[in-house]
Amino acid sequence: MDAIVLGGGLMGTASAYFLASRGVRVTLIERARIGAGATVASFGNIRRSGRHLSQLPLAARSLAIWNEAEVLLGRDVEFRPTGHLRLIFDADSLEDMRTYVQAANAQGLILDELDTSELHARFPGIGPDAIAASFSPRDGSANPRLIGPAFADAAVRAGASVVEEAPVLDIRTTAAGFELETAKGNFQAALLLNCAGAWGRSIAAHFGEDVPLETWGPQMAVTEPLPHRIAPVVGVWSQAHGAYLRQVERGNVIFGGAVDRVRVEAEPGYAKPDPARLPAQVAAVIKLVPALADVAVIRQWSGCEGYVADALPVMGPSSTTPGLFHAFGFCGHGFQLGPGVGSAMAELIATGQCETPLDEFAITRFAA
Ligand SMILES: Cc1cc2nc3c(=O)[nH]c(=O)nc-3n(C[C@H](O)[C@H](O)[C@H](O)COP(=O)(O)OP(=O)(O)OC[C@H]3O[C@@H](n4cnc5c(N)ncnc54)[C@H](O)[C@@H]3O)c2cc1C
């Protein structure tokens, strides 16, 4: 069995690794450098709380792999299960959180509820207006710059070929499967996996499958390095798009959320943050950790991410073309899912079935 994986972000590199580990002959083709798409721009949140319930089995599969990543990949990708704290500032959000917790419990996600005194005793320095929180002790974060190259190198060790700086210019179906024309020559395989991220829509469209996907960029920023004081990832339960932050071991505090995403043209796909939105973002962050009021923000960035109309990814076989599979459009929350996506897609492609339910992500949901 041989396969081409198109796109060398987290989904493509993880899929290549798990396919090669199952004995599939894999060629991974990336138009730029491995991991340089949405993956490198990620905040790095390994968060299950608040996810659409249909994603929780996949998120659980992924978390198990994050826990083994250092052994599996032969290097530290800075996965740290520091816990994920989500603050609550009003009674409605507390109600929302409790409703979610009940439903999520049934899917195996256990969230601890912290009342006001427990929250402030356990996490001194958290915003005084927070009345409660949920805490997910096994979640955390990892380094978005390390994970793509780590999976790609592990895939090569497992027998895959990785071709960088090779934009796929055309795809033809042949009697034997697929032929991809790239800037570095033509490649053939019986199977093709579309992991082109925000650009996955155009690959699917090439095969007559229309997905309502738009390209947007979440806006991120980072502070100067500070003494290390914040262990968990911190976010908010809110109907609005709340702020979130984490402090990396080198001391910088990375933050995002609380402001609208920036519009990104899919071509060339360069996402530019809007400095005018920074003050509102900083104000939201200070509400979570007031001690951040006087620190310098040293950099802003964004990344080109694919957002599907129903906020769910596209995963599974093509509805038009035998041998074609899709895994794209992760709507700003694919970082946590990435290793699980790779492992699930490899299982599906190699065996024809997947123990993790993927039906809700089928491309056929847009056929009507
Ligand atoms: C700023 C930002 C913050 C985020 N924060 C989080 C977070 O905290 N937690 C979380 O879970 N998720 C987060 N996400 C989402 C997460 O990063 C993405 O969902 C995930 O990285 C998507 O991976 P991917 O492999 O599908 O896409 P990508 O990493 O974009 O990879 C797709 C690859 O396909 C390649 N490609 C496209 N077209 C072609 C072609 N024609 N030929 C060859 N190659 C091609 C691209 O060059 C690219 O490298 C964030 C995203 C952004 C942008």
Side-chain angles (χ1 to χ4, degrees), residues 6-13 29-47 51 166-169 195-200 202-203 216-220 244 267 301-305 307 327-337:
L6 195 172
L10 176 51
M11 306 309 163
T13 55
I29 300 179
E30 164 56 44
R31 73 172 167 191
R33 302 302 299 267
I34 290 298
T39 299
V40 77
S42 175
F43 170 73
N45 211 353
I46 311 282
R47 166 190 66 81
R51 274 185 188 275
V168 172
L169 305 170
C195 289
W199 303 272
S202 62
I203 305 294
W216 293 92
Q219 181 157 319
M220 313 299 306
Y244 45 89
E267 296 304 334
W301 73 94
S302 185
C304 183
E305 171 75 335
Y307 288 84
F328 69 91
F330 283 87
C331 308
H333 45 237
F335 189 73
Q336 193 282 347
L337 295 177

Side-chain angles (χ1 to χ4, degrees), residues 143-285:
N143 190 327
R145 288 164 190 77
L146 301 180
I147 190 66
F151 264 122
D153 291 349
V156 169
R157 287 196 297 275
S161 304
V162 173
V163 187
E164 290 181 282
E165 297 179 333
V168 172
L169 305 170
D170 195 15
I171 307 174
R172 291 178 282 278
T173 46
T174 64
F178 300 89
E179 180 171 48
L180 276 67
E181 184 187 325
T182 82
K184 287 198 171 165
N186 290 5
F187 297 85
Q188 294 89 17
L191 304 169
L192 175 61
L193 173 57
N194 169 15
C195 289
W199 303 272
R201 178 183 189 167
S202 62
I203 305 294
H206 183 80
F207 294 95
E209 296 179 282
D210 189 27
V211 173
L213 176 150
E214 292 185 355
T215 47
W216 293 92
Q219 181 157 319
M220 313 299 306
V222 62
T223 71
E224 62 185 317
L226 304 160
H228 197 269
R229 293 278 187 276
I230 309 169
V233 179
V234 184
V236 187
W237 281 100
S238 149
Q239 295 289 350
H241 180 42
Y244 45 89
L245 63 90
R246 70 184 177 100
Q247 187 172 26
V248 301
E249 286 166 11
R250 286 165 292 285
N252 312 72
V253 176
I254 303 174
F255 60 89
V259 294
D260 288 343
R261 300 177 188 111
V262 291
R263 192 85 178 91
V264 189
E265 295 304 326
E267 296 304 334
Y270 178 66
K272 210 167 141 230
D274 177 4
R277 296 177 201 187
L278 185 61
Q281 209 171 25
V282 169
V285 163

